[in-house]
Amino acid sequence: MCGIFGYIGTDGRAINSVLYSIGLLEHRGYDSMGVAFNMGREVELYKISQEDKENFNIEDLKRLVPKRKRICNNGIGHTRWATFGGKTTKNAHPHHDFNKLFYFVHNGNVENLDDIKKELGKGSFYSETDSEVIVNLIAKYYREMNSLEKAVSKVLKKIEGANAFVVMDANKPEQLIAANKGGTIILGKENGNTIVASDLAAFEPFTIKNRHILKDNEIVEITKQGWKIYEDEKVKKAAKEINEPNSDLGEYKFFMEKEIFEQKYTMANAIRGRLITETGIPKLGGIENIARSLRKVKTFHFIGCGTAYNACLYAKFLFNRFGIAASASIASEFCYRHSVFAPDDAFIFISQSGETADTIEVINEIKIKGNICLGIVNVPGSRIWRETDAGISIRAGKEKGVASTKAFISQLASIVMLAVFLARQRNMTIDTGQRIFRELELIPDKIQEILNQANLIRKVVNKNSRFTNYYFLGRYFNYITAEEGSLKLKEISYVHAEAYPLGEMKHGPLALIDKDFCSVVIIPDDSVFKKSLVNIHEIKARNGKVLAITNKKMDVNLADDIIFVPRTIDYLSPLLTTIPLQLFSYYMALKLKRNPDKPRNLAKTVTVS
Ligand code: M6R
């Protein structure tokens, strides 16, 4: 969700650096943006929101900052995804206390806001945000303790919920203070400049040598020399290595487009060096240390949100197919249901960003119970990466498009490898392992074959863009593809779409079918093909429009449009059938003049629960 950035330098380039890196954090939230620059004698504040301009971007914010004053060594910036308070400029960060002594950028939600407001007593807030309340609490404690570190430490103990923030003291242009409790704050050092951010993406323009990720309840003083970490007011040191992101748009217009079209390579990267053909056992370095314990696990519980949850569903189906008990749960529901699991069950958390608050909540809960926690994560160094006992890096590279595309395919590839690893520990034969590897190696080229049909898919979209209602339908493994296709379409096109297991149509959903309703049916040649054909007849008999994704010749009178995908093993088919649906939603968004990288109301990384 909200993106945070702070810069203390010696080169006078804080303004440019903050504005540039805030642009790199746009995917975290784009309801509003703001920056504050400590110019020595005063702090300058610039903000913009959708209230000023519906489709504003970083260039609009840059235009607000006067060029003549571009020498500064201390700045903070923020991209906002609204929770407390509407998408207005007043609610945009940085926020300041009543006396304009402290400026504050914040990611998270303060869950005990009412108690804190009571503690602050009367005061007229200019915004509706929790952040403004917190910066005033910091100011209050500062007045009492005469130390910003101590004040922040006290605030950190006081506030409930997952929160991370950076504070600028107007009177101390040589310093910033940051703190973390349940969020992510990363620090970096580059020749005389120190950087603090909520997301590695903001580090892109810098050649960072030293990095540190703030642990929970740590407070850090940031200066041009580097950082000093406090926990309970004691100085501490620690460091954790993480990799560089890479996110150039290159020849593409949108990140979503770029990320769809690079899937041949990201898929190849997910399996590179991991498929050991001699043994039929994948080499998964991240779980080697706990391989023995995994052998004893009876049931695996997969947890995730959105697209990552769809990957969890795939994991469940595939594990079951290989004779291993597995469940899949939506993270935001898990803690509030009475889930039954055994002490020796393992939990596997799937997340592209590794920062999803709902998923982290479940990790926290499961850690209390003491079960094994694994992560299937894209962003190295992210919170889920750090908080799990072991895991698999999906190696998809930076994913900037809000709609998750390449990460999903790489998640599926990682799940297949994990499933084979565990099944080989159990009953799977070496031949089966080897056969799956041979097929996995072919997937990157098969993905490319589908991408080569992009123009055809675009034409199908243009032909069908009049529909305002869609079903995405499939059976067994391709019910998951249907869920993913439906999520993609609504997310970036704002077109109503629902996913159903195809056989379920006759139990209710069929009632909506008429000539104005389009059904996208995923029907590869597998064990459920014949049954699926019957279901398509049922839709056609009611004049419904059918768009089929298949790998088998079909009666052209049955489907109004057909997109062909290459053949593969039935349980690997979602790795291919998902691709045309990503393109379908992408082209639909373009056709309907939506910005696929900035879908309304959504953010890439959802750090509130
Ligand atoms: O970073 P995560 O994979 O944990 O994110 C989970 C969901 O928020 C995410 O997949 C979301 O559903 C996507 N925007 C879907 O395209």
Side-chain angles (χ1 to χ4, degrees), residues 560-589:
D560 301 270
D561 289 292
I562 302 179
I563 296 168
F564 287 100
V565 295
R567 284 175 177 268
T568 186
I569 305 175
D570 60 350
Y571 47 75
L572 297 185
S573 70
L575 285 146
L576 299 178
T577 49
T578 304
I579 311 286
L581 300 186
Q582 295 171 343
L583 286 167
F584 185 82
S585 61
Y586 174 72
Y587 289 129
M588 188 65 83

Coordinates of all heavy atoms in Angstrom, one line a residue, residues 560-589:
D560 N -18.1 -19.3 -30.3 CA -18.1 -18.2 -31.2 C -16.7 -17.8 -31.6 O -16.4 -17.3 -32.7 CB -18.9 -17.1 -30.6 CG -20.3 -17.5 -30.3 OD1 -21.1 -17.3 -31.1 OD2 -20.5 -18.0 -29.2
D561 N -15.8 -17.9 -30.6 CA -14.4 -17.6 -30.9 C -13.6 -18.7 -30.2 O -13.9 -19.1 -29.1 CB -14.0 -16.2 -30.3 CG -14.6 -15.1 -31.1 OD1 -14.2 -14.9 -32.3 OD2 -15.5 -14.4 -30.6
I562 N -12.4 -19.0 -30.8 CA -11.6 -20.1 -30.2 C -10.1 -19.5 -30.2 O -9.6 -19.0 -31.1 CB -11.6 -21.4 -31.0 CG1 -13.0 -21.9 -31.1 CG2 -10.7 -22.4 -30.3 CD1 -13.2 -23.2 -31.9
I563 N -9.5 -19.7 -29.0 CA -8.1 -19.4 -28.9 C -7.4 -20.7 -28.6 O -7.7 -21.4 -27.6 CB -7.8 -18.3 -27.8 CG1 -8.5 -17.0 -28.2 CG2 -6.3 -18.1 -27.6 CD1 -8.5 -16.0 -27.1
F564 N -6.4 -21.1 -29.4 CA -5.7 -22.3 -29.2 C -4.5 -22.1 -28.4 O -3.7 -21.2 -28.6 CB -5.3 -23.0 -30.6 CG -6.6 -23.5 -31.3 CD1 -7.2 -22.8 -32.3 CD2 -7.1 -24.7 -30.9 CE1 -8.3 -23.3 -32.9 CE2 -8.2 -25.2 -31.5 CZ -8.8 -24.5 -32.5
V565 N -4.2 -23.1 -27.5 CA -3.0 -23.1 -26.7 C -2.3 -24.5 -27.0 O -3.0 -25.5 -27.3 CB -3.3 -23.0 -25.2 CG1 -3.9 -21.6 -24.9 CG2 -4.2 -24.1 -24.7
P566 N -1.0 -24.6 -26.8 CA -0.3 -25.8 -27.0 C -0.7 -26.9 -25.9 O -1.3 -26.6 -24.9 CB 1.2 -25.5 -26.8 CG 1.2 -24.0 -26.9 CD -0.1 -23.5 -26.5
R567 N -0.5 -28.1 -26.3 CA -0.8 -29.2 -25.3 C 0.3 -29.4 -24.3 O 1.4 -29.0 -24.5 CB -0.9 -30.5 -26.1 CG -2.1 -30.7 -26.9 CD -2.1 -31.9 -27.8 NE -3.4 -32.0 -28.4 CZ -4.5 -32.6 -27.9 NH1 -4.4 -33.3 -26.8 NH2 -5.6 -32.6 -28.6
T568 N -0.2 -29.9 -23.1 CA 0.8 -30.3 -22.1 C 0.1 -31.3 -21.2 O -1.0 -31.7 -21.4 CB 1.3 -29.0 -21.3 OG1 2.3 -29.4 -20.4 CG2 0.1 -28.4 -20.5
I569 N 0.8 -31.7 -20.1 CA 0.2 -32.6 -19.2 C -1.0 -31.9 -18.6 O -0.9 -30.7 -18.3 CB 1.1 -33.0 -18.0 CG1 2.4 -33.6 -18.6 CG2 0.5 -34.0 -17.1 CD1 3.5 -33.9 -17.5
D570 N -2.1 -32.6 -18.3 CA -3.4 -31.9 -17.9 C -3.1 -31.0 -16.7 O -3.6 -29.9 -16.7 CB -4.5 -32.9 -17.6 CG -4.2 -33.9 -16.6 OD1 -3.0 -34.0 -16.1 OD2 -5.1 -34.7 -16.1
Y571 N -2.4 -31.5 -15.7 CA -2.3 -30.7 -14.5 C -1.3 -29.5 -14.6 O -1.2 -28.6 -13.8 CB -1.9 -31.5 -13.2 CG -0.8 -32.5 -13.4 CD1 0.5 -32.1 -13.4 CD2 -1.1 -33.9 -13.5 CE1 1.5 -33.0 -13.5 CE2 -0.1 -34.8 -13.6 CZ 1.2 -34.4 -13.6 OH 2.2 -35.3 -13.7
L572 N -0.6 -29.4 -15.8 CA 0.3 -28.3 -16.0 C -0.5 -27.2 -16.9 O 0.0 -26.1 -17.1 CB 1.6 -28.7 -16.7 CG 2.5 -29.6 -16.0 CD1 3.8 -29.8 -16.7 CD2 2.8 -29.0 -14.6
S573 N -1.7 -27.6 -17.3 CA -2.3 -26.7 -18.3 C -2.6 -25.3 -17.8 O -2.5 -24.3 -18.6 CB -3.6 -27.4 -18.9 OG -4.6 -27.4 -17.9
P574 N -2.8 -25.0 -16.5 CA -3.0 -23.6 -16.1 C -1.8 -22.7 -16.4 O -1.9 -21.5 -16.6 CB -3.3 -23.7 -14.6 CG -3.9 -25.0 -14.4 CD -3.2 -25.9 -15.4
L575 N -0.6 -23.4 -16.5 CA 0.6 -22.6 -16.9 C 0.5 -22.0 -18.3 O 1.1 -21.0 -18.6 CB 1.8 -23.4 -16.8 CG 2.3 -23.8 -15.4 CD1 2.9 -25.1 -15.2 CD2 3.3 -22.7 -14.9
L576 N -0.4 -22.6 -19.1 CA -0.6 -22.1 -20.4 C -1.9 -21.4 -20.6 O -2.0 -20.3 -21.2 CB -0.5 -23.3 -21.4 CG 0.9 -24.0 -21.5 CD1 0.8 -25.2 -22.4 CD2 2.0 -23.0 -21.8
T577 N -3.0 -22.0 -20.1 CA -4.3 -21.5 -20.4 C -4.5 -20.1 -19.7 O -5.4 -19.3 -20.1 CB -5.4 -22.4 -19.9 OG1 -5.1 -22.9 -18.6 CG2 -5.5 -23.7 -20.8
T578 N -3.7 -19.8 -18.7 CA -3.8 -18.5 -18.0 C -3.4 -17.3 -19.0 O -3.9 -16.2 -18.9 CB -3.0 -18.4 -16.7 OG1 -3.4 -19.5 -15.9 CG2 -3.1 -17.1 -16.0
I579 N -2.4 -17.6 -19.8 CA -1.7 -16.6 -20.6 C -2.7 -15.9 -21.5 O -2.8 -14.6 -21.5 CB -0.5 -17.1 -21.4 CG1 0.4 -18.0 -20.5 CG2 0.2 -16.0 -22.2 CD1 1.3 -17.2 -19.6
P580 N -3.6 -16.6 -22.3 CA -4.5 -15.8 -23.2 C -5.5 -15.0 -22.3 O -5.9 -13.9 -22.8 CB -5.3 -16.9 -23.9 CG -4.9 -18.2 -23.4 CD -3.6 -18.0 -22.6
L581 N -5.8 -15.4 -21.1 CA -6.7 -14.6 -20.3 C -6.1 -13.4 -19.8 O -6.7 -12.4 -19.6 CB -7.3 -15.5 -19.1 CG -8.0 -16.8 -19.6 CD1 -8.6 -17.5 -18.4 CD2 -9.1 -16.4 -20.6
Q582 N -4.8 -13.4 -19.5 CA -4.0 -12.2 -19.1 C -4.1 -11.2 -20.3 O -4.4 -10.0 -20.1 CB -2.6 -12.5 -18.8 CG -2.4 -13.4 -17.6 CD -0.9 -13.9 -17.5 OE1 -0.1 -13.8 -18.4 NE2 -0.5 -14.3 -16.3
L583 N -3.8 -11.7 -21.5 CA -3.9 -10.8 -22.7 C -5.3 -10.3 -22.9 O -5.5 -9.1 -23.2 CB -3.4 -11.6 -23.9 CG -1.9 -11.8 -24.0 CD1 -1.5 -12.8 -25.0 CD2 -1.1 -10.5 -24.2
F584 N -6.3 -11.2 -22.7 CA -7.7 -10.8 -22.9 C -8.0 -9.6 -22.0 O -8.5 -8.6 -22.4 CB -8.6 -12.0 -22.6 CG -10.0 -11.8 -22.8 CD1 -10.5 -11.9 -24.1 CD2 -10.9 -11.4 -21.8 CE1 -11.9 -11.7 -24.4 CE2 -12.2 -11.2 -22.1 CZ -12.7 -11.4 -23.4
S585 N -7.7 -9.7 -20.7 CA -8.0 -8.6 -19.8 C -7.2 -7.4 -20.1 O -7.7 -6.2 -20.0 CB -7.8 -9.0 -18.3 OG -6.5 -9.4 -18.1
Y586 N -5.9 -7.6 -20.5 CA -5.1 -6.4 -20.8 C -5.7 -5.6 -22.0 O -5.8 -4.4 -21.9 CB -3.6 -6.9 -21.1 CG -2.8 -5.8 -21.6 CD1 -2.3 -4.8 -20.7 CD2 -2.4 -5.7 -22.9 CE1 -1.5 -3.7 -21.1 CE2 -1.6 -4.6 -23.3 CZ -1.2 -3.6 -22.5 OH -0.4 -2.6 -22.9
Y587 N -6.0 -6.4 -23.0 CA -6.5 -5.7 -24.2 C -7.9 -5.1 -24.0 O -8.3 -4.1 -24.5 CB -6.5 -6.6 -25.4 CG -5.1 -6.9 -26.0 CD1 -4.7 -8.2 -26.2 CD2 -4.2 -5.8 -26.2 CE1 -3.4 -8.4 -26.6 CE2 -2.9 -6.1 -26.6 CZ -2.5 -7.4 -26.8 OH -1.2 -7.6 -27.2
M588 N -8.7 -5.8 -23.1 CA -10.0 -5.2 -22.8 C -9.8 -3.9 -22.0 O -10.5 -2.9 -22.3 CB -10.7 -6.2 -21.9 CG -12.2 -5.8 -21.6 SD -13.2 -5.8 -23.1 CE -13.6 -7.5 -23.2
A589 N -8.8 -3.8 -21.1 CA -8.6 -2.6 -20.4 C -8.2 -1.5 -21.4 O -8.7 -0.3 -21.3 CB -7.5 -2.8 -19.4

